[in-house]
Amino acid sequence: MAVTVSGCASTGGTPSPGPAHRTQLSERLLARAARAPLVVAHRGSSATWPENTLPAFRAGIEEGADMVELDVHATSDGVLVCLHDATLDRTTDAGAVLGQKGIAVRGVPSVELDRFDAGSYRGPSHAGTKIPTLAAALELIGQHAVPMVEHKDCAPEAMLDVLRATGCADAVLVQSFDWAWLRAVRALAPDVTLGALGSGELTSERLAEIDSLGVSMVHWSASSLRLADIEALHARGYLVCTYTVDAELSLLGCKAAGLDAITTNVPAQLWMVLRRE
């Protein structure tokens, strides 16, 4: 059963001692993960739906995701929108509409986004799908699962403004590969649950740096995460998630390794594997 929140209402929370920054949300996720790994829908159910769109998020929820991951960029007028890439080329028709390649999300005002089709690259049945705002995504996801919001390009203050305006500050996990950005968020908002994204060798130096961030989750590449890393992170109190795993045997191996959460493009397939076990 998915971890749900009552909309995006505030849950409060006080951190407990130790490297991992504990919140009520992270405690709830830890309790759920003790039964089975959390299913994280990567950009929604993105294997078959247009990634980072409301239909993909909805499909991920319907397929049993406990958490729905999405990516966030700021437009030229500061509106936060859901898109993975820094440019609009790969997942929208912005190039054809504007007659120009390599258009940066950061260079386009939000009012222009409704002109672009963000679904047709997945097939004609998805034509007309739009790029959603972060606020719209939180409204949809927060009723059914925990939003996992990945910072790509926006100021910490802009992210926090949206979370607070939507009442989601205590009900969302915010993550980034930019650890300096995470430090800035932590300084501004001790109530927000954070995750550190990374890859490569998890050395003692990197573990020490993670301990300084004030995060609750470590979200690491499946290609470089080792069993010893999982043990070390669990000993420090962290939720441990890995990305991005789709193959059935790999999903089964992630469960056997004792991971708390698994990020996948195929949430329905992960649920099938977990149910079989």
Side-chain angles (χ1 to χ4, degrees), residues 129-153:
T129 303
K130 300 303 180 183
I131 300 169
T133 63
L134 172 59
L138 293 175
E139 182 179 1
L140 170 64
I141 298 166
Q143 298 296 325
H144 309 282
V146 175
M148 178 186 277
V149 180
E150 181 176 339
H151 153 258
K152 288 297 187 185
D153 178 24

PDB file of all heavy atoms in Angstrom, residues 129-153:
ATOM      1  N   THR A 129      -0.425  16.986 -24.420  1.00  0.00           N
ATOM      2  CA  THR A 129      -0.009  17.007 -23.017  1.00  0.00           C
ATOM      3  C   THR A 129       0.878  18.232 -22.767  1.00  0.00           C
ATOM      4  O   THR A 129       1.742  18.559 -23.580  1.00  0.00           O
ATOM      5  CB  THR A 129       0.761  15.729 -22.663  1.00  0.00           C
ATOM      6  OG1 THR A 129      -0.061  14.595 -22.961  1.00  0.00           O
ATOM      7  CG2 THR A 129       1.137  15.703 -21.192  1.00  0.00           C
ATOM      8  N   LYS A 130       0.665  18.893 -21.639  1.00  0.00           N
ATOM      9  CA  LYS A 130       1.387  20.127 -21.349  1.00  0.00           C
ATOM     10  C   LYS A 130       2.446  19.936 -20.261  1.00  0.00           C
ATOM     11  O   LYS A 130       2.403  18.974 -19.503  1.00  0.00           O
ATOM     12  CB  LYS A 130       0.402  21.223 -20.903  1.00  0.00           C
ATOM     13  CG  LYS A 130      -0.646  21.566 -21.935  1.00  0.00           C
ATOM     14  CD  LYS A 130      -0.011  22.011 -23.259  1.00  0.00           C
ATOM     15  CE  LYS A 130      -1.053  22.351 -24.306  1.00  0.00           C
ATOM     16  NZ  LYS A 130      -0.447  22.722 -25.610  1.00  0.00           N
ATOM     17  N   ILE A 131       3.368  20.877 -20.196  1.00  0.00           N
ATOM     18  CA  ILE A 131       4.355  20.924 -19.127  1.00  0.00           C
ATOM     19  C   ILE A 131       3.656  21.453 -17.881  1.00  0.00           C
ATOM     20  O   ILE A 131       3.132  22.560 -17.895  1.00  0.00           O
ATOM     21  CB  ILE A 131       5.530  21.850 -19.487  1.00  0.00           C
ATOM     22  CG1 ILE A 131       6.230  21.371 -20.760  1.00  0.00           C
ATOM     23  CG2 ILE A 131       6.516  21.958 -18.330  1.00  0.00           C
ATOM     24  CD1 ILE A 131       7.217  22.380 -21.326  1.00  0.00           C
ATOM     25  N   PRO A 132       3.635  20.694 -16.792  1.00  0.00           N
ATOM     26  CA  PRO A 132       2.933  21.178 -15.601  1.00  0.00           C
ATOM     27  C   PRO A 132       3.812  22.068 -14.722  1.00  0.00           C
ATOM     28  O   PRO A 132       5.043  21.974 -14.747  1.00  0.00           O
ATOM     29  CB  PRO A 132       2.584  19.886 -14.870  1.00  0.00           C
ATOM     30  CG  PRO A 132       3.684  18.944 -15.231  1.00  0.00           C
ATOM     31  CD  PRO A 132       4.097  19.307 -16.649  1.00  0.00           C
ATOM     32  N   THR A 133       3.179  22.911 -13.954  1.00  0.00           N
ATOM     33  CA  THR A 133       3.902  23.642 -12.920  1.00  0.00           C
ATOM     34  C   THR A 133       4.151  22.712 -11.735  1.00  0.00           C
ATOM     35  O   THR A 133       3.463  21.701 -11.562  1.00  0.00           O
ATOM     36  CB  THR A 133       3.106  24.854 -12.429  1.00  0.00           C
ATOM     37  OG1 THR A 133       1.884  24.390 -11.813  1.00  0.00           O
ATOM     38  CG2 THR A 133       2.778  25.795 -13.572  1.00  0.00           C
ATOM     39  N   LEU A 134       5.133  23.065 -10.923  1.00  0.00           N
ATOM     40  CA  LEU A 134       5.372  22.296  -9.704  1.00  0.00           C
ATOM     41  C   LEU A 134       4.143  22.324  -8.808  1.00  0.00           C
ATOM     42  O   LEU A 134       3.767  21.299  -8.227  1.00  0.00           O
ATOM     43  CB  LEU A 134       6.586  22.860  -8.963  1.00  0.00           C
ATOM     44  CG  LEU A 134       6.853  22.279  -7.568  1.00  0.00           C
ATOM     45  CD1 LEU A 134       7.068  20.778  -7.623  1.00  0.00           C
ATOM     46  CD2 LEU A 134       8.035  22.986  -6.916  1.00  0.00           C
ATOM     47  N   ALA A 135       3.499  23.467  -8.705  1.00  0.00           N
ATOM     48  CA  ALA A 135       2.313  23.569  -7.853  1.00  0.00           C
ATOM     49  C   ALA A 135       1.224  22.599  -8.291  1.00  0.00           C
ATOM     50  O   ALA A 135       0.592  21.933  -7.463  1.00  0.00           O
ATOM     51  CB  ALA A 135       1.788  25.007  -7.863  1.00  0.00           C
ATOM     52  N   ALA A 136       0.987  22.483  -9.606  1.00  0.00           N
ATOM     53  CA  ALA A 136      -0.031  21.562 -10.112  1.00  0.00           C
ATOM     54  C   ALA A 136       0.353  20.119  -9.832  1.00  0.00           C
ATOM     55  O   ALA A 136      -0.498  19.288  -9.485  1.00  0.00           O
ATOM     56  CB  ALA A 136      -0.234  21.780 -11.606  1.00  0.00           C
ATOM     57  N   ALA A 137       1.640  19.801  -9.966  1.00  0.00           N
ATOM     58  CA  ALA A 137       2.109  18.446  -9.696  1.00  0.00           C
ATOM     59  C   ALA A 137       1.928  18.086  -8.228  1.00  0.00           C
ATOM     60  O   ALA A 137       1.483  16.982  -7.895  1.00  0.00           O
ATOM     61  CB  ALA A 137       3.573  18.312 -10.097  1.00  0.00           C
ATOM     62  N   LEU A 138       2.249  19.005  -7.333  1.00  0.00           N
ATOM     63  CA  LEU A 138       2.092  18.751  -5.900  1.00  0.00           C
ATOM     64  C   LEU A 138       0.628  18.548  -5.540  1.00  0.00           C
ATOM     65  O   LEU A 138       0.291  17.691  -4.715  1.00  0.00           O
ATOM     66  CB  LEU A 138       2.675  19.907  -5.096  1.00  0.00           C
ATOM     67  CG  LEU A 138       4.189  20.097  -5.181  1.00  0.00           C
ATOM     68  CD1 LEU A 138       4.607  21.354  -4.433  1.00  0.00           C
ATOM     69  CD2 LEU A 138       4.941  18.881  -4.655  1.00  0.00           C
ATOM     70  N   GLU A 139      -0.249  19.332  -6.159  1.00  0.00           N
ATOM     71  CA  GLU A 139      -1.677  19.187  -5.888  1.00  0.00           C
ATOM     72  C   GLU A 139      -2.178  17.807  -6.276  1.00  0.00           C
ATOM     73  O   GLU A 139      -2.954  17.184  -5.545  1.00  0.00           O
ATOM     74  CB  GLU A 139      -2.463  20.255  -6.642  1.00  0.00           C
ATOM     75  CG  GLU A 139      -3.958  20.200  -6.383  1.00  0.00           C
ATOM     76  CD  GLU A 139      -4.730  21.274  -7.124  1.00  0.00           C
ATOM     77  OE1 GLU A 139      -4.095  22.066  -7.860  1.00  0.00           O
ATOM     78  OE2 GLU A 139      -5.966  21.316  -6.981  1.00  0.00           O
ATOM     79  N   LEU A 140      -1.716  17.291  -7.410  1.00  0.00           N
ATOM     80  CA  LEU A 140      -2.134  15.966  -7.864  1.00  0.00           C
ATOM     81  C   LEU A 140      -1.510  14.863  -7.021  1.00  0.00           C
ATOM     82  O   LEU A 140      -2.208  13.999  -6.468  1.00  0.00           O
ATOM     83  CB  LEU A 140      -1.744  15.775  -9.335  1.00  0.00           C
ATOM     84  CG  LEU A 140      -1.893  14.358  -9.888  1.00  0.00           C
ATOM     85  CD1 LEU A 140      -3.350  13.920  -9.884  1.00  0.00           C
ATOM     86  CD2 LEU A 140      -1.302  14.247 -11.281  1.00  0.00           C
ATOM     87  N   ILE A 141      -0.187  14.874  -6.904  1.00  0.00           N
ATOM     88  CA  ILE A 141       0.522  13.772  -6.254  1.00  0.00           C
ATOM     89  C   ILE A 141       0.238  13.725  -4.763  1.00  0.00           C
ATOM     90  O   ILE A 141       0.046  12.647  -4.182  1.00  0.00           O
ATOM     91  CB  ILE A 141       2.034  13.892  -6.508  1.00  0.00           C
ATOM     92  CG1 ILE A 141       2.349  13.809  -7.993  1.00  0.00           C
ATOM     93  CG2 ILE A 141       2.803  12.791  -5.756  1.00  0.00           C
ATOM     94  CD1 ILE A 141       3.762  14.253  -8.349  1.00  0.00           C
ATOM     95  N   GLY A 142       0.204  14.892  -4.128  1.00  0.00           N
ATOM     96  CA  GLY A 142       0.123  14.942  -2.677  1.00  0.00           C
ATOM     97  C   GLY A 142      -1.130  14.346  -2.080  1.00  0.00           C
ATOM     98  O   GLY A 142      -1.171  14.044  -0.887  1.00  0.00           O
ATOM     99  N   GLN A 143      -2.162  14.144  -2.882  1.00  0.00           N
ATOM    100  CA  GLN A 143      -3.379  13.503  -2.393  1.00  0.00           C
ATOM    101  C   GLN A 143      -3.240  11.986  -2.274  1.00  0.00           C
ATOM    102  O   GLN A 143      -4.062  11.348  -1.613  1.00  0.00           O
ATOM    103  CB  GLN A 143      -4.549  13.836  -3.334  1.00  0.00           C
ATOM    104  CG  GLN A 143      -4.890  15.312  -3.423  1.00  0.00           C
ATOM    105  CD  GLN A 143      -5.390  15.881  -2.106  1.00  0.00           C
ATOM    106  OE1 GLN A 143      -6.078  15.187  -1.346  1.00  0.00           O
ATOM    107  NE2 GLN A 143      -5.046  17.120  -1.822  1.00  0.00           N
ATOM    108  N   HIS A 144      -2.210  11.423  -2.909  1.00  0.00           N
ATOM    109  CA  HIS A 144      -2.137   9.969  -3.026  1.00  0.00           C
ATOM    110  C   HIS A 144      -0.775   9.361  -2.687  1.00  0.00           C
ATOM    111  O   HIS A 144      -0.687   8.181  -2.344  1.00  0.00           O
ATOM    112  CB  HIS A 144      -2.485   9.563  -4.467  1.00  0.00           C
ATOM    113  CG  HIS A 144      -3.752  10.159  -4.975  1.00  0.00           C
ATOM    114  ND1 HIS A 144      -4.990   9.666  -4.629  1.00  0.00           N
ATOM    115  CD2 HIS A 144      -3.974  11.227  -5.795  1.00  0.00           C
ATOM    116  CE1 HIS A 144      -5.937  10.391  -5.231  1.00  0.00           C
ATOM    117  NE2 HIS A 144      -5.350  11.341  -5.932  1.00  0.00           N
ATOM    118  N   ALA A 145       0.291  10.124  -2.829  1.00  0.00           N
ATOM    119  CA  ALA A 145       1.639   9.606  -2.623  1.00  0.00           C
ATOM    120  C   ALA A 145       2.532  10.757  -2.163  1.00  0.00           C
ATOM    121  O   ALA A 145       2.088  11.908  -2.084  1.00  0.00           O
ATOM    122  CB  ALA A 145       2.182   9.005  -3.929  1.00  0.00           C
ATOM    123  N   VAL A 146       3.774  10.439  -1.857  1.00  0.00           N
ATOM    124  CA  VAL A 146       4.724  11.462  -1.406  1.00  0.00           C
ATOM    125  C   VAL A 146       5.479  12.005  -2.612  1.00  0.00           C
ATOM    126  O   VAL A 146       6.136  11.244  -3.325  1.00  0.00           O
ATOM    127  CB  VAL A 146       5.715  10.877  -0.381  1.00  0.00           C
ATOM    128  CG1 VAL A 146       6.769  11.916  -0.001  1.00  0.00           C
ATOM    129  CG2 VAL A 146       4.967  10.398   0.860  1.00  0.00           C
ATOM    130  N   PRO A 147       5.404  13.286  -2.879  1.00  0.00           N
ATOM    131  CA  PRO A 147       6.198  13.856  -3.968  1.00  0.00           C
ATOM    132  C   PRO A 147       7.687  13.835  -3.623  1.00  0.00           C
ATOM    133  O   PRO A 147       8.082  14.211  -2.516  1.00  0.00           O
ATOM    134  CB  PRO A 147       5.683  15.299  -4.074  1.00  0.00           C
ATOM    135  CG  PRO A 147       4.355  15.306  -3.364  1.00  0.00           C
ATOM    136  CD  PRO A 147       4.511  14.301  -2.272  1.00  0.00           C
ATOM    137  N   MET A 148       8.509  13.395  -4.566  1.00  0.00           N
ATOM    138  CA  MET A 148       9.970  13.435  -4.440  1.00  0.00           C
ATOM    139  C   MET A 148      10.448  14.451  -5.482  1.00  0.00           C
ATOM    140  O   MET A 148      10.501  14.158  -6.671  1.00  0.00           O
ATOM    141  CB  MET A 148      10.583  12.056  -4.696  1.00  0.00           C
ATOM    142  CG  MET A 148      12.104  12.037  -4.635  1.00  0.00           C
ATOM    143  SD  MET A 148      12.819  10.432  -5.118  1.00  0.00           S
ATOM    144  CE  MET A 148      12.671   9.514  -3.581  1.00  0.00           C
ATOM    145  N   VAL A 149      10.758  15.643  -5.024  1.00  0.00           N
ATOM    146  CA  VAL A 149      11.012  16.775  -5.916  1.00  0.00           C
ATOM    147  C   VAL A 149      12.511  16.964  -6.091  1.00  0.00           C
ATOM    148  O   VAL A 149      13.227  17.266  -5.140  1.00  0.00           O
ATOM    149  CB  VAL A 149      10.380  18.064  -5.344  1.00  0.00           C
ATOM    150  CG1 VAL A 149      10.655  19.235  -6.273  1.00  0.00           C
ATOM    151  CG2 VAL A 149       8.886  17.876  -5.131  1.00  0.00           C
ATOM    152  N   GLU A 150      12.986  16.792  -7.331  1.00  0.00           N
ATOM    153  CA  GLU A 150      14.407  16.964  -7.607  1.00  0.00           C
ATOM    154  C   GLU A 150      14.694  18.356  -8.161  1.00  0.00           C
ATOM    155  O   GLU A 150      14.175  18.731  -9.210  1.00  0.00           O
ATOM    156  CB  GLU A 150      14.916  15.915  -8.583  1.00  0.00           C
ATOM    157  CG  GLU A 150      16.413  16.077  -8.862  1.00  0.00           C
ATOM    158  CD  GLU A 150      16.988  15.000  -9.745  1.00  0.00           C
ATOM    159  OE1 GLU A 150      16.380  13.908  -9.853  1.00  0.00           O
ATOM    160  OE2 GLU A 150      18.053  15.241 -10.346  1.00  0.00           O
ATOM    161  N   HIS A 151      15.536  19.075  -7.460  1.00  0.00           N
ATOM    162  CA  HIS A 151      16.006  20.379  -7.930  1.00  0.00           C
ATOM    163  C   HIS A 151      16.917  20.197  -9.131  1.00  0.00           C
ATOM    164  O   HIS A 151      17.860  19.408  -9.102  1.00  0.00           O
ATOM    165  CB  HIS A 151      16.773  21.074  -6.808  1.00  0.00           C
ATOM    166  CG  HIS A 151      17.805  22.046  -7.284  1.00  0.00           C
ATOM    167  ND1 HIS A 151      19.151  21.736  -7.311  1.00  0.00           N
ATOM    168  CD2 HIS A 151      17.697  23.301  -7.778  1.00  0.00           C
ATOM    169  CE1 HIS A 151      19.829  22.763  -7.776  1.00  0.00           C
ATOM    170  NE2 HIS A 151      18.978  23.732  -8.063  1.00  0.00           N
ATOM    171  N   LYS A 152      16.620  20.902 -10.194  1.00  0.00           N
ATOM    172  CA  LYS A 152      17.514  20.979 -11.347  1.00  0.00           C
ATOM    173  C   LYS A 152      18.082  22.388 -11.504  1.00  0.00           C
ATOM    174  O   LYS A 152      19.290  22.576 -11.558  1.00  0.00           O
ATOM    175  CB  LYS A 152      16.768  20.574 -12.633  1.00  0.00           C
ATOM    176  CG  LYS A 152      16.471  19.085 -12.730  1.00  0.00           C
ATOM    177  CD  LYS A 152      17.731  18.249 -12.792  1.00  0.00           C
ATOM    178  CE  LYS A 152      17.405  16.785 -13.049  1.00  0.00           C
ATOM    179  NZ  LYS A 152      18.624  15.941 -12.988  1.00  0.00           N
ATOM    180  N   ASP A 153      17.173  23.383 -11.556  1.00  0.00           N
ATOM    181  CA  ASP A 153      17.633  24.755 -11.710  1.00  0.00           C
ATOM    182  C   ASP A 153      16.592  25.712 -11.142  1.00  0.00           C
ATOM    183  O   ASP A 153      15.630  26.064 -11.827  1.00  0.00           O
ATOM    184  CB  ASP A 153      17.889  25.075 -13.187  1.00  0.00           C
ATOM    185  CG  ASP A 153      18.319  26.522 -13.410  1.00  0.00           C
ATOM    186  OD1 ASP A 153      18.855  27.125 -12.464  1.00  0.00           O
ATOM    187  OD2 ASP A 153      18.114  27.037 -14.518  1.00  0.00           O
TER     188      ASP A 153
END
